[in-house]
């Protein structure tokens, strides 16, 4: 995160632990963050694919891609993921 945010040009990141508004519905935080983003970076891991909220973020981003006809999602495979997951 520090490397991305201090790069030239810097990346503006949204991290749920730091940037989501406390007391606001998590779904509203997710939707608002994705809609305000030029790109959404997903780091795919075993934990990611087993997390209901992470899958929701990916689904919402996918709907945005289809609805707006853009390529706003970037997927990065962090580690091999089992097919059973």
């Amino acid at each position: 995160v520090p490397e991305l945010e201090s790069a030239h040009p810097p990346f503006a990141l949204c991290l749920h632990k730091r940037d989501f508004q406390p007391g606001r519905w998590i779904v509203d935080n997710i939707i608002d963050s994705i809609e305000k983003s030029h790109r959404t970076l997903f780091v795919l891991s075993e934990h990611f694919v087993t997390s209901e909220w992470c899958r929701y973020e990916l689904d919402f981003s996918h709907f945005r891609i289809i609805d707006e006809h853009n390529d706003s999602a970037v997927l990065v495979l962090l580690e091999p993921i089992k097919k059973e997951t």
Side-chain angles (χ1 to χ4, degrees):
V1 171
E3 289 179 30
L4 291 173
E5 291 183 327
S6 64
H8 297 286
F11 290 87
L13 303 179
C14 176
L15 306 172
H16 75 277
K17 291 181 181 180
R18 179 187 72 189
D19 300 316
F20 278 12
Q21 293 179 353
R24 187 174 184 204
W25 287 95
I26 189 167
V27 171
D28 292 335
N29 273 307
I30 290 169
I31 291 170
D32 189 49
S33 296
I34 291 175
E35 286 180 341
K36 289 180 179 176
S37 298
H38 294 287
R39 297 274 186 273
T40 306
L41 175 67
F42 294 97
V43 180
L44 303 176
S45 65
E46 286 283 341
H47 177 71
F48 181 95
V49 297
T50 59
S51 166
E52 181 179 335
W53 289 115
C54 290
R55 287 194 322 267
Y56 179 81
E57 291 171 350
L58 187 59
D59 287 345
F60 182 77
S61 180
H62 183 242
F63 291 132
R64 179 181 178 208
I65 290 168
I66 293 170
D67 188 48
E68 297 177 11
H69 305 289
N70 66 31
D71 58 352
S72 60
V74 178
L75 305 176
V76 176
L77 184 61
L78 179 65
E79 60 193 10
I81 299 173
K82 299 175 195 158
K83 289 183 181 182
E84 307 84 51
T85 307

